[in-house]
Amino acid sequence: MKTITLAHGNGGQENNELISKIFYKAFENEILAKSEDAAIIQDGTLAFSTDSFTVSPIEFPGADIGKLAVCGTCNDLAMMGAKPKYLTCSVIIEEGFEVETLKRIVASMKKELEVNGAIVVSGDTKVVPRGSVDKIFINTTGIGQIQQKGISSNNIQEEDMILVSNSIGKHGATIFASREGIDFSTSLKSDCASLWPVVKKLIDSGIKIRALRDATRGGVSAVLNEWAKQSNICIEIEEEKIPVCDEVNGICELLGFEALSLANEGTFVMAISKDEVQKALKVLKEIDTSKEAQIIGKASTLHREKVVLNTAWGTQRFIDLPTGELLPRIC
Amino acid sequence: MCLSIPSKITKIDKENNIATVDTMGVERQASLELVDQAVEVGDYVLIHIGFAMNKINEEDALASLEVYKEIIEKMEEDERRQAILEDEACPNKA
Amino acid sequence: MEQLKLKDLYDGFRNPQTIKALKRLLDKEAKKLNTKINIMEVCGGHTHTIMKYGINQLLPENIEFIHGPGCPVCVMPKERIDHAYLLSLQENVILVTLGDMIKVPGSRGSLQDARSKGADVRFVYSPLDTIKIANENKDKKIIFFAIGFETTTPMTAALLEHVIKNKIDNIYFHINHITVPEPMRVLLDNQDCKIDAFIGPSHVSVITGSKIYEEFVTEYNKPVVVAGFEPVDVMQSILSLVKQFNENKCELEIEYSRAVSYDGNLAAQKLNDKYFIKAEHFRWRGLGDIPNSALKLKDEYAFLDAELIYKDILPNEEIDDHKLCICGDIMRGVAKPNDCKVFGKACKPSSPLGSCMVSSEGACSAYYKYGNLL
């Protein structure tokens, strides 16, 4: 690693290498080492997370960079069982950016904050010369109050079941289809959505969640690989059970991608004990954002630290962390 | 690299020799300049890096699928017979 | 007659029941074989299918795959990747190529690295998208770095046709098109070759027709079945090959008959012949120099040839792979990727030492990515 390439931001292997060799090495501490979606602070009462948004194009079917910026941070909090409360919002804008577009983006942030019941309490604005950033970059940082303790990607147990909350790959596929030069037309929309309402319902139903993570960059395959390593377990998934819509399949066929590696912005993966899985599935299916939820596999001890895909015809293969530059900027 | 996929022609722009093709709900334009057969809307073509390579022979594809159906039926029949044989050979049979 | 649906062309050839049934037939047929057989899938697309769908796990013990040299990115020698790298860093140049080239490292780095150094490198979905880039950047020289086997050559020829017909004066070409039969011959001529039969490439054959494999059946006595890329296609083709052995036949068959004919796409072949002739030499990564195995622009199009125009800055020294690399042996079927000392250690997809690790279609890369759970 001599210079940074786009592959270092892919949410996969190169990305992990960059983080562990440079940032984790310098900032090393107990909280950071947990490598969760959000840091757990103040004796387990608060969740704390930050994320920057650089998606291109900034407006796309199903959402825009504003909605994404609120969902992204709030979802990271929700994934630790925390109710999103306070956000900060920093914006870097390229000179020449249209005010009308900015108004639209901010309006969609406001709308999404309401869904989460969160407020922006501090902010910053910078304007930079043309070419210094691509249109607009947004950073949000959030604090949430933990409603269910103990959710962690570090203690998944053998025989735990693995669920996804939605059909996968829609965000990554949508961004790719709307990218300049690709010129695909589809009715596909990003799955971008706030997940706190879903998580709240799970918690309110008394369901004990083992691990929860939204499958953003790197997709479901990145989440499962991280979990398998962090919990020293094998995750086995059944190819037939993974929900993927036709259009996402079409884009994967056209461009040679795997839906498992495509980004999502309103879809999570959940690990849960097998005694509770049916109840959780029932709750998920009652909510619009997660009505396509499916059990896709389970934790086992077959190949520790690995993700194994079982095909419908009885063969098996590993699902690896995505490598290389898969996609344009997607979040 | 040699990725190339079946798609259905939904529109033809004769003047520019370009077709709109559908791949599972994803539409894109594809050049028809390399296709040496006559094609029309509803035909299936193989798409490779923005070009239709050729027309897919529908009858041939259907014939293959028919053959597969038959071998599955044959397999299921064999399995059924095997199950009956095993059942009859079972010493604990009531 | 029953109507064919688009979905049938995918799902129909991936149907688990069909694969199960074909596996049974194959197991039965393979029992009759009196010797072990090694089948080479020439094309990287097939290697990918085999590893992705785990077809190697479905094979009886006496049938083995040898993974062939048919991944155009993998067999591109480092010195030619260096050409792309150097061209992209020239002033006022936009280097345009297909996405497959993005990660492939030459001796100086990959195009991805060049881009992080400020090079303008664009990846297009279709070669024709190059025209739009040329129109939007009239003051720049656009170099189309063309790669691929016979499948992709006509698309480059079509771009050439557009450039010439429409007198577009800022698009140039660096041609790296290679052909399938010559390396097959080299592998068969080798003393320790273990190949007993071939699965012929799907989409190369759509363009060339199955006729290009005739010599392997008649002169080398090796059966060839041209197969589609779906798992059912591959299983069916293996079954056909095993049947040929059991019936003492040696024939050229087309399993992928829904898309491949004996003669192929004549219009595309004609277009290729209009612009390209055989290059006397081309050095394949992992296989060495193979005469007449690549194409170059005809002399009358020399004014479009970036390799000639920039010849002063493009080095031609050969750059070999690491001496521990055994890719040549893997392609001859003498070794498997995991027999290699550096496999998965010093040689990984992010830092490949040898050709088979270079792109996702290479045998080593497929083994690395999908693992070998056998």
Side-chain angles (χ1 to χ4, degrees), chain A residues 251-302:
Chain A
I251 285 181
C252 287
E253 293 291 346
L254 277 158
L255 299 168
F257 294 150
E258 279 200 74
L260 281 169
S261 302
L262 288 178
N264 309 274
E265 287 293 344
T267 301
F268 59 76
V269 190
M270 178 163 73
I272 192 165
S273 84
K274 68 174 193 298
D275 306 329
E276 292 212 90
V277 71
Q278 289 304 332
K279 191 174 164 194
L281 190 63
K282 189 165 169 278
V283 172
L284 291 174
K285 287 199 178 275
E286 282 164 8
I287 307 167
D288 228 26
T289 335
S290 55
K291 63 173 189 290
E292 295 177 296
Q294 286 291 341
I295 300 169
I296 60 164
K298 64 174 198 302
S300 77
T301 51
L302 184 64

Side-chain angles (χ1 to χ4, degrees), chain C residues 278-295:
Chain C
K278 285 271 184 177
E280 297 77 38
H281 291 282
F282 191 90
R283 215 170 74 92
W284 290 55
R285 195 172 179 177
L287 291 177
D289 185 54
I290 305 178
N292 301 314
S293 64
L295 301 176

Side-chain angles (χ1 to χ4, degrees), chain B residues 56-72, chain C residues 1-5 8-9 12-13 18 22 232-233 236 254-259:
Chain B
I56 293 171
N57 186 330
E58 267 182 68
E59 277 170 44
D60 194 286
L62 280 170
S64 297
L65 293 173
E66 194 53 43
V67 171
Y68 299 146
K69 217 192 272 168
E70 281 164 20
I71 64 167
I72 292 173
Chain C
M1 197 179 72
E2 207 183 328
Q3 274 278 315
L4 183 73
K5 291 186 208 72
D8 298 335
L9 288 170
F13 296 90
T18 311
L22 285 169
V232 165
D233 291 319
Q236 173 73 53
I254 304 174
E255 180 278 336
Y256 194 33
S257 49
R258 61 189 185 277

Side-chain angles (χ1 to χ4, degrees), chain C residues 65-264:
Chain C
F65 283 120
I66 295 176
H67 311 299
C71 158
V73 179
C74 296
V75 297
M76 198 62 54
K78 280 187 185 159
E79 58 265 26
R80 297 200 68 89
I81 313 279
D82 285 353
H83 281 195
Y85 182 90
L86 290 167
L87 287 171
S88 76
L89 284 165
Q90 291 305 300
E91 233 171 277
N92 285 321
V93 161
I94 301 176
L95 189 98
V96 177
T97 188
L98 301 176
D100 308 63
M101 281 292 298
I102 195 164
K103 288 181 282 187
V104 189
S107 70
R108 295 154 203 255
S110 65
L111 287 173
Q112 191 171 259
D113 298 322
R115 197 172 49 186
S116 68
K117 285 195 175 135
D120 195 345
V121 180
R122 313 267 180 103
F123 299 95
V124 285
Y125 171 70
S126 163
L128 290 185
D129 297 339
T130 311
I131 296 171
K132 199 175 160 215
I133 297 173
N135 284 335
E136 287 166 359
N137 296 278
K138 293 268 186 214
D139 54 332
K140 299 253 168 84
K141 289 195 162 84
I142 318 297
I143 301 174
F144 183 71
F145 192 81
I147 45 164
F149 279 102
E150 291 93 331
T151 323
T152 312
T153 315
M155 291 73 189
T156 304
L159 177 61
L160 273 156
E161 181 103 338
H162 279 268
V163 166
I164 288 165
K165 267 201 179 139
N166 301 317
K167 300 193 170 65
I168 302 170
D169 60 2
N170 60 337
I171 297 183
Y172 302 87
F173 292 80
H174 189 288
I175 302 295
N176 300 277
H177 285 301
I178 46 179
T179 51
V180 163
E182 293 76 14
M184 287 172 72
R185 224 177 284 146
V186 166
L187 290 170
L188 287 173
D189 285 337
N190 195 289
Q191 291 266 308
D192 55 5
C193 164
K194 294 196 167 158
I195 303 164
D196 299 307
F198 288 103
I199 288 180
S202 320
H203 296 132
V204 162
S205 314
V206 169
I207 301 294
T208 63
S210 67
K211 60 176 186 265
I212 62 164
Y213 312 112
E214 195 78 75
E215 59 174 307
F216 302 106
V217 178
T218 54
E219 288 169 35
Y220 288 91
N221 207 24
K222 307 285 181 195
V224 180
V225 176
V226 177
F229 273 144
E230 299 297 344
V232 165
D233 291 319
V234 175
M235 287 298 282
Q236 173 73 53
S237 301
I238 299 165
L239 181 61
S240 299
L241 283 170
V242 176
K243 275 188 180 156
Q244 286 202 30
F245 278 96
N246 284 337
E247 290 162 17
N248 246 327
K249 285 181 185 163
C250 178
E251 287 171 3
L252 171 58
E253 282 181 61
I254 304 174
E255 180 278 336
Y256 194 33
S257 49
R258 61 189 185 277
V260 172
S261 63
Y262 182 78
D263 288 320

Side-chain angles (χ1 to χ4, degrees), chain A residues 26-314:
Chain A
F27 298 146
E28 194 183 356
N29 65 62
E30 231 174 74
I31 302 172
L32 187 67
K34 291 243 163 39
S35 195
E36 305 276 8
D37 264 358
I40 302 301
I41 53 172
Q42 295 294 82
D43 302 323
T45 55
L46 296 180
F48 186 33
S49 185
T50 188
D51 210 334
S52 296
F53 299 85
T54 62
V55 67
S56 170
I58 55 172
E59 293 176 293
F60 48 87
D64 58 36
I65 191 168
K67 180 177 179 185
L68 200 60
V70 173
C71 288
T73 291
C74 289
N75 287 351
D76 281 347
L77 299 171
M79 292 303 106
M80 299 311 293
K83 188 207 168 301
K85 300 272 282 191
Y86 305 109
L87 263 68
T88 66
C89 167
S90 296
V91 196
I92 303 174
I93 311 170
E94 187 185 21
E95 70 174 323
F97 194 74
E98 279 180 27
V99 173
E100 272 313 305
T101 316
L102 187 60
K103 279 187 184 161
R104 276 203 304 277
I105 288 168
V106 174
S108 87
M109 291 181 83
K110 179 173 185 281
K111 201 171 144 202
E112 213 53 33
L113 284 162
E114 281 160 9
V115 176
N116 285 280
I119 51 174
V120 167
V121 291
S122 178
D124 180 52
T125 315
K126 295 277 187 310
V127 178
V128 294
R130 194 176 278 273
S132 302
V133 298
D134 185 8
K135 298 185 183 76
I136 183 169
F137 289 175
I138 304 178
N139 170 277
T140 53
T141 298
I143 289 185
Q145 191 132 38
I146 292 192
Q147 311 286 309
Q148 187 181 95
K149 284 195 182 180
I151 298 177
S152 167
S153 43
N154 292 290
N155 51 18
I156 298 164
Q157 314 284 316
E158 192 183 344
E159 293 202 351
D160 277 358
M161 304 301 280
I162 308 292
L163 283 93
V164 291
S165 68
N166 202 336
S167 84
I168 64 169
K170 288 199 287 260
H171 180 72
T174 303
I175 296 298
F176 219 102
S178 49
R179 187 192 192 189
E180 199 191 346
I182 295 282
D183 300 324
F184 291 160
S185 75
T186 78
S187 54
L188 203 58
K189 279 190 186 140
S190 165
D191 63 332
C192 181
S194 290
L195 294 170
W196 170 245
V198 187
V199 177
K200 182 175 188 301
K201 191 131 187 229
L202 286 168
I203 295 173
D204 290 349
S205 314
I207 288 162
K208 183 86 187 80
I209 300 161
R210 191 91 72 191
L212 206 57
R213 184 164 286 187
D214 55 341
T216 54
R217 274 176 318 170
V220 172
S221 58
V223 173
L224 296 179
N225 270 287
E226 282 157 24
W227 282 5
K229 281 210 173 60
Q230 286 178 317
S231 292
N232 187 29
I233 201 113
C234 173
I235 294 178
E236 286 184 64
I237 54 174
E238 311 297 318
E239 191 165 34
E240 280 178 302
K241 305 269 174 66
I242 303 166
V244 187
C245 71
D246 276 358
E247 288 91 343
V248 170
N249 270 328
I251 285 181
C252 287
E253 293 291 346
L254 277 158
L255 299 168
F257 294 150
E258 279 200 74
L260 281 169
S261 302
L262 288 178
N264 309 274
E265 287 293 344
T267 301
F268 59 76
V269 190
M270 178 163 73
I272 192 165
S273 84
K274 68 174 193 298
D275 306 329
E276 292 212 90
V277 71
Q278 289 304 332
K279 191 174 164 194
L281 190 63
K282 189 165 169 278
V283 172
L284 291 174
K285 287 199 178 275
E286 282 164 8
I287 307 167
D288 228 26
T289 335
S290 55
K291 63 173 189 290
E292 295 177 296
Q294 286 291 341
I295 300 169
I296 60 164
K298 64 174 198 302
S300 77
T301 51
L302 184 64
H303 292 273
R304 283 187 194 274
E305 301 199 3
K306 293 274 187 191
V307 180
V308 173
L309 180 89
N310 293 312
T311 68
W313 43 89

